[in-house]
Amino acid sequence: MFFSPAGQFDEKDARIGKFRLGKDDLVVDAATGTSHISVEDYAVAMVDELEKPAHHKERFTIGY
């Protein structure tokens, strides 16, 4: 498993709880044209993957 972050971490933003996962391509917010994720949502997605592996020997990414 290789978990790629979004293009930008939003360290001051709170957890939204809704995010999208992708494979090899950067996940981009269509409304803003940016690739970003809060540190909290990134952590939640990582723990989710550790508890219920869904990307065995795959790269995946996250973003809003």
Side-chain angles (χ1 to χ4, degrees), residues 1-5 21 41-43 45-46 58-62:
M1 165 186 83
F2 183 79
F3 190 25
S4 300
L21 297 177
D41 281 331
Y42 182 84
M46 181 179 286
E58 291 181 328
R59 175 176 51 186
F60 68 109
T61 188
I62 187 171

Side-chain angles (χ1 to χ4, degrees), residues 12-50:
K12 296 179 182 177
D13 288 347
R15 179 176 172 217
I16 294 173
K18 294 178 81 174
F19 47 80
R20 296 178 295 144
L21 297 177
K23 295 286 184 179
D24 294 326
D25 297 323
L26 195 63
V27 177
V28 177
D29 183 339
T32 64
T34 61
S35 174
H36 58 103
I37 191 73
S38 72
V39 173
E40 288 95 355
D41 281 331
Y42 182 84
V44 167
M46 181 179 286
V47 170
D48 288 349
E49 179 67 24
L50 292 171

